[in-house]
Amino acid sequence: MSSSSTSAAANEYPYEEGGYTLYSFHGCPFAQRALRALSAAKVPYKLVEIDLQNKPSWYHLVNPQLKVPALRTPSGEILIESLVISEFVADQFPEAQLLPKSAIERAQLRLFVEIFTSRVIPNLYGSLRSATAKEQEDKKANLLAGIKEANDELAKQWERPSGKGGPLWLGDKFSLAEINTASFVNQLAAVKKHRGLVIPQTQEYAAFNKWVDAFSAYPEYSKFSTDDDVIAEQLRKFVA
Ligand SMILES: N[C@@H](CCC(=O)N[C@@H](CS)C(=O)NCC(=O)O)C(=O)O
């Protein structure tokens, strides 16, 4: 079924014939990775907004995991998992320079993203879910340790030629480093609201704070960001 069809037979779902279709939810930090990658690479796409509270009956045909984002390519392949999608966009549209050129510079950028994946994101949601004060304090301490790790990687990167002294990972270029992480910095609003966590404005976190201030001013960020109050409300359901 193409984009023009509205009713759904058992094996049909909406997509743009010959183009890209992104299945997304605007408030989802994972979907925001895909939205920012497509936007930064200036890729035209049809947006299909999925109501996560009331998913369309055909959505299992797009993603059997029933999660957003998912990207349908012009040749009909469907990609799932936000990091897979953003990496695909960077590979498919190299002229957008979402990744640096050399293998070592790419590996350094991916380590920065990995710090978010394994040390920031799980502790961010973990601190909200924790029921006991002790558990909350432990997760908050782990979250701050993850942010400090990201801070130190930024400081190192800005000394390298590809970091160009900052304030973004690749100097003044909004790249996959921000595309894959910025939405989770946005999500920290919920930890601030529900758990009182504030990133200290100290030398220890100076690079991280400088980076956040810098990417927040870029339209590639602000176009898809979520208001702090909305995030705090959305994540209230996780609060133990
Ligand atoms: N690992 C996935 C996670 C995606 C994810 O968890 N998306 C959420 C929304 S933020 C979702 O679709 N949840 C399904 C639901 O709420 O039923 C990715 O990186 O794409």
Side-chain angles (χ1 to χ4, degrees):
M1 167 167 90
S2 78
S3 59
S4 58
S5 309
T6 47
S7 66
N11 59 352
E12 291 180 343
Y13 62 92
Y15 62 85
E16 180 75 13
E17 191 72 56
Y20 285 96
T21 307
L22 182 69
Y23 305 86
S24 178
F25 170 68
H26 65 279
C28 169
F30 300 96
Q32 286 167 0
R33 284 173 164 165
L35 287 160
R36 289 196 172 103
L38 290 166
S39 172
K42 300 193 169 38
V43 182
Y45 61 93
K46 173 186 169 68
L47 181 65
V48 178
E49 191 76 3
I50 301 296
D51 178 352
L52 295 179
Q53 306 307 320
N54 184 20
K55 292 177 194 144
S57 57
W58 47 259
Y59 196 54
H60 68 101
L61 298 169
V62 175
N63 184 356
Q65 312 250 317
L66 298 180
K67 290 186 176 181
V68 293
L71 181 70
R72 187 183 190 279
T73 70
S75 58
E77 302 290 345
I78 292 179
L79 301 175
I80 61 169
E81 289 296 332
S82 56
L83 289 174
V84 171
I85 293 170
S86 61
E87 287 271 351
F88 164 79
V89 173
D91 284 344
Q92 185 68 20
F93 300 96
E95 63 282 4
Q97 298 179 2
L98 301 184
L99 279 168
K101 285 202 173 59
S102 82
I104 191 72
E105 289 167 351
R106 288 174 183 229
Q108 287 160 342
L109 183 154
R110 287 177 178 130
L111 172 64
F112 180 67
V113 175
E114 177 57 29
I115 289 168
F116 273 79
T117 303
S118 54
R119 263 89 82 193
V120 173
I121 299 171
N123 289 310
L124 192 166
Y125 296 118
S127 70
L128 295 173
R129 288 197 175 102
S130 301
T132 66
K134 163 90 178 79
E135 228 185 306
Q136 282 169 26
E137 288 312 309
D138 287 351
K139 298 281 186 212
K140 271 164 54 178
N142 291 344
L143 174 55
L144 267 184
I147 288 171
K148 172 73 180 132
E149 233 186 297
N151 176 90
D152 295 350
E153 284 305 316
L154 282 164
K156 260 194 261 175
Q157 168 65 7
W158 292 342
E159 297 294 317
R160 299 176 185 132
S162 65
K164 299 181 186 137
L168 301 186
W169 183 265
L170 296 180
D172 60 359
K173 167 84 186 150
F174 197 92
S175 74
L176 224 57
E178 286 78 32
I179 286 167
N180 283 338
T181 60
S183 49
F184 298 96
V185 176
N186 202 179
Q187 298 268 296
L188 289 173
V191 192
K192 181 177 178 187
K193 168 87 179 177
H194 299 300
R195 298 292 184 235
L197 182 101
V198 179
I199 313 298
Q201 291 290 333
T202 58
Q203 189 50 36
E204 234 188 323
Y205 296 93
F208 186 84
N209 288 325
K210 177 176 164 175
W211 173 70
V212 174
D213 285 349
F215 77 60
S216 301
Y218 276 66
E220 290 96 328
Y221 173 75
S222 52
K223 202 170 155 197
F224 303 105
S225 62
T226 310
D227 286 348
D228 287 1
D229 291 348
V230 174
I231 289 182
E233 203 42 50
Q234 271 175 356
L235 295 188
R236 188 180 289 281
K237 62 176 184 285
F238 288 134
V239 177

Short mmCIF file of all heavy atoms in Angstrom, two decimals, residues 1-3 5-15 17 23 56-63 72 76 78:
data_model
loop_
_atom_site.label_atom_id
_atom_site.label_comp_id
_atom_site.label_asym_id
_atom_site.label_seq_id
_atom_site.Cartn_x
_atom_site.Cartn_y
_atom_site.Cartn_z
N MET A 1 0.86 -1.19 0.00
CA MET A 1 0.00 0.00 0.00
C MET A 1 0.89 1.23 0.00
O MET A 1 1.88 1.30 0.71
CB MET A 1 -0.86 -0.07 1.27
CG MET A 1 -1.58 1.20 1.61
SD MET A 1 -2.84 0.90 2.88
CE MET A 1 -1.93 1.17 4.38
N SER A 2 0.58 2.18 -0.82
CA SER A 2 1.42 3.37 -0.88
C SER A 2 0.87 4.43 0.06
O SER A 2 -0.13 4.22 0.74
CB SER A 2 1.45 3.91 -2.31
OG SER A 2 0.26 4.61 -2.55
N SER A 3 1.52 5.59 0.05
CA SER A 3 1.13 6.65 0.97
C SER A 3 -0.28 7.15 0.74
O SER A 3 -0.88 7.72 1.62
CB SER A 3 2.09 7.82 0.81
OG SER A 3 2.04 8.27 -0.52
N SER A 5 -2.93 5.37 0.22
CA SER A 5 -3.99 4.52 0.76
C SER A 5 -4.21 4.80 2.24
O SER A 5 -3.28 5.11 2.96
CB SER A 5 -3.58 3.06 0.60
OG SER A 5 -3.19 2.83 -0.72
N THR A 6 -5.42 4.69 2.67
CA THR A 6 -5.69 4.93 4.08
C THR A 6 -6.23 3.69 4.78
O THR A 6 -5.89 3.42 5.92
CB THR A 6 -6.70 6.08 4.26
OG1 THR A 6 -7.78 5.85 3.36
CG2 THR A 6 -6.08 7.42 3.98
N SER A 7 -7.04 2.87 4.08
CA SER A 7 -7.55 1.68 4.74
C SER A 7 -6.47 0.60 4.67
O SER A 7 -5.62 0.62 3.81
CB SER A 7 -8.80 1.19 4.04
OG SER A 7 -8.47 0.76 2.75
N ALA A 8 -6.50 -0.34 5.62
CA ALA A 8 -5.42 -1.32 5.68
C ALA A 8 -5.95 -2.73 5.57
O ALA A 8 -6.70 -3.18 6.42
CB ALA A 8 -4.66 -1.15 6.98
N ALA A 9 -5.55 -3.42 4.48
CA ALA A 9 -5.80 -4.86 4.42
C ALA A 9 -4.78 -5.51 5.35
O ALA A 9 -3.85 -4.86 5.82
CB ALA A 9 -5.66 -5.33 2.99
N ALA A 10 -4.92 -6.85 5.55
CA ALA A 10 -4.10 -7.52 6.56
C ALA A 10 -2.60 -7.40 6.32
O ALA A 10 -1.82 -7.42 7.24
CB ALA A 10 -4.50 -8.97 6.64
N ASN A 11 -2.20 -7.28 5.04
CA ASN A 11 -0.76 -7.23 4.75
C ASN A 11 -0.32 -5.87 4.23
O ASN A 11 0.66 -5.75 3.53
CB ASN A 11 -0.40 -8.32 3.74
CG ASN A 11 -1.19 -8.16 2.45
OD1 ASN A 11 -2.09 -7.31 2.40
ND2 ASN A 11 -0.83 -8.91 1.43
N GLU A 12 -1.07 -4.83 4.55
CA GLU A 12 -0.76 -3.51 4.02
C GLU A 12 -0.40 -2.53 5.13
O GLU A 12 -0.91 -2.65 6.25
CB GLU A 12 -1.95 -2.96 3.24
CG GLU A 12 -2.19 -3.71 1.94
CD GLU A 12 -3.38 -3.15 1.17
OE1 GLU A 12 -4.20 -2.43 1.78
OE2 GLU A 12 -3.49 -3.43 -0.03
N TYR A 13 0.46 -1.61 4.78
CA TYR A 13 0.81 -0.55 5.72
C TYR A 13 1.21 0.69 4.91
O TYR A 13 1.58 0.57 3.74
CB TYR A 13 1.95 -1.00 6.64
CG TYR A 13 3.24 -1.34 5.93
CD1 TYR A 13 4.22 -0.37 5.77
CD2 TYR A 13 3.48 -2.61 5.42
CE1 TYR A 13 5.41 -0.66 5.11
CE2 TYR A 13 4.66 -2.90 4.77
CZ TYR A 13 5.62 -1.93 4.61
OH TYR A 13 6.79 -2.21 3.95
N PRO A 14 1.15 1.88 5.50
CA PRO A 14 1.43 3.09 4.72
C PRO A 14 2.92 3.32 4.53
O PRO A 14 3.70 3.14 5.47
CB PRO A 14 0.82 4.21 5.57
CG PRO A 14 0.80 3.68 6.95
CD PRO A 14 0.69 2.19 6.86
N TYR A 15 3.30 3.70 3.33
CA TYR A 15 4.69 4.11 3.06
C TYR A 15 4.71 4.96 1.80
O TYR A 15 3.75 4.98 1.04
CB TYR A 15 5.62 2.89 2.91
CG TYR A 15 5.30 1.97 1.76
CD1 TYR A 15 5.77 2.24 0.46
CD2 TYR A 15 4.52 0.85 1.95
CE1 TYR A 15 5.48 1.39 -0.59
CE2 TYR A 15 4.21 -0.01 0.90
CZ TYR A 15 4.70 0.27 -0.38
OH TYR A 15 4.40 -0.57 -1.41
N GLU A 17 5.98 5.45 -1.73
CA GLU A 17 6.53 4.67 -2.86
C GLU A 17 7.80 5.36 -3.39
O GLU A 17 7.78 6.56 -3.68
CB GLU A 17 5.45 4.63 -3.96
CG GLU A 17 5.71 3.66 -5.08
CD GLU A 17 5.53 2.21 -4.65
OE1 GLU A 17 4.44 1.88 -4.17
OE2 GLU A 17 6.50 1.44 -4.80
N TYR A 23 8.81 5.86 10.62
CA TYR A 23 7.76 5.60 11.60
C TYR A 23 8.33 6.06 12.93
O TYR A 23 9.39 5.57 13.36
CB TYR A 23 7.40 4.11 11.60
CG TYR A 23 7.03 3.63 10.20
CD1 TYR A 23 8.01 3.20 9.31
CD2 TYR A 23 5.71 3.70 9.76
CE1 TYR A 23 7.69 2.82 8.02
CE2 TYR A 23 5.37 3.32 8.46
CZ TYR A 23 6.37 2.88 7.60
OH TYR A 23 6.05 2.52 6.31
N PRO A 56 -1.28 1.38 15.48
CA PRO A 56 -2.11 0.89 14.38
C PRO A 56 -1.94 -0.62 14.22
O PRO A 56 -0.86 -1.17 14.47
CB PRO A 56 -1.58 1.63 13.15
CG PRO A 56 -0.36 2.34 13.58
CD PRO A 56 -0.28 2.37 15.06
N SER A 57 -3.01 -1.28 13.78
CA SER A 57 -3.00 -2.75 13.69
C SER A 57 -1.93 -3.26 12.73
O SER A 57 -1.44 -4.37 12.86
CB SER A 57 -4.38 -3.24 13.25
OG SER A 57 -4.69 -2.63 12.02
N TRP A 58 -1.53 -2.43 11.74
CA TRP A 58 -0.55 -2.86 10.74
C TRP A 58 0.88 -2.70 11.22
O TRP A 58 1.81 -3.11 10.55
CB TRP A 58 -0.74 -2.08 9.43
CG TRP A 58 -0.89 -0.60 9.59
CD1 TRP A 58 -2.05 0.10 9.56
CD2 TRP A 58 0.16 0.36 9.83
NE1 TRP A 58 -1.81 1.45 9.77
CE2 TRP A 58 -0.46 1.62 9.94
CE3 TRP A 58 1.53 0.28 9.97
CZ2 TRP A 58 0.26 2.80 10.19
CZ3 TRP A 58 2.26 1.45 10.22
CH2 TRP A 58 1.62 2.68 10.34
N TYR A 59 1.12 -2.09 12.39
CA TYR A 59 2.49 -1.71 12.72
C TYR A 59 3.44 -2.92 12.87
O TYR A 59 4.62 -2.82 12.59
CB TYR A 59 2.55 -0.79 13.95
CG TYR A 59 3.90 -0.11 14.04
CD1 TYR A 59 4.41 0.61 12.96
CD2 TYR A 59 4.71 -0.25 15.16
CE1 TYR A 59 5.68 1.19 13.00
CE2 TYR A 59 5.98 0.33 15.21
CZ TYR A 59 6.46 1.05 14.12
OH TYR A 59 7.72 1.60 14.15
N HIS A 60 2.89 -4.08 13.23
CA HIS A 60 3.75 -5.28 13.36
C HIS A 60 4.39 -5.66 12.02
O HIS A 60 5.42 -6.33 11.98
CB HIS A 60 2.94 -6.46 13.93
CG HIS A 60 1.89 -6.95 13.00
ND1 HIS A 60 2.04 -8.07 12.23
CD2 HIS A 60 0.68 -6.43 12.67
CE1 HIS A 60 0.97 -8.23 11.48
NE2 HIS A 60 0.13 -7.25 11.73
N LEU A 61 3.75 -5.22 10.91
CA LEU A 61 4.32 -5.50 9.57
C LEU A 61 5.59 -4.66 9.35
O LEU A 61 6.48 -5.05 8.60
CB LEU A 61 3.32 -5.17 8.47
CG LEU A 61 2.02 -5.98 8.49
CD1 LEU A 61 1.01 -5.38 7.52
CD2 LEU A 61 2.30 -7.43 8.14
N VAL A 62 5.66 -3.51 10.01
CA VAL A 62 6.83 -2.64 9.90
C VAL A 62 7.89 -3.09 10.90
O VAL A 62 9.04 -3.31 10.55
CB VAL A 62 6.42 -1.16 10.16
CG1 VAL A 62 7.65 -0.26 10.17
CG2 VAL A 62 5.42 -0.69 9.12
N ASN A 63 7.49 -3.20 12.15
CA ASN A 63 8.43 -3.61 13.19
C ASN A 63 7.75 -4.60 14.14
O ASN A 63 6.94 -4.18 14.97
CB ASN A 63 8.93 -2.38 13.97
CG ASN A 63 9.99 -2.75 15.00
OD1 ASN A 63 10.28 -3.93 15.20
ND2 ASN A 63 10.54 -1.74 15.66
N ARG A 72 11.71 2.80 6.46
CA ARG A 72 11.56 2.03 5.22
C ARG A 72 12.32 2.77 4.13
O ARG A 72 12.14 3.97 3.93
CB ARG A 72 10.09 1.90 4.83
CG ARG A 72 9.86 0.96 3.64
CD ARG A 72 8.40 0.93 3.25
NE ARG A 72 8.10 -0.12 2.29
CZ ARG A 72 8.30 -0.05 0.98
NH1 ARG A 72 8.83 1.05 0.45
NH2 ARG A 72 7.99 -1.07 0.18
N GLY A 76 12.45 -0.71 -0.24
CA GLY A 76 11.50 -1.54 0.51
C GLY A 76 12.11 -2.27 1.70
O GLY A 76 11.42 -3.03 2.38
N ILE A 78 13.28 -2.58 5.49
CA ILE A 78 12.88 -1.88 6.71
C ILE A 78 14.00 -2.02 7.73
O ILE A 78 14.47 -3.14 8.01
CB ILE A 78 11.55 -2.41 7.26
CG1 ILE A 78 10.43 -2.03 6.28
CG2 ILE A 78 11.27 -1.81 8.65
CD1 ILE A 78 9.06 -2.51 6.66
#
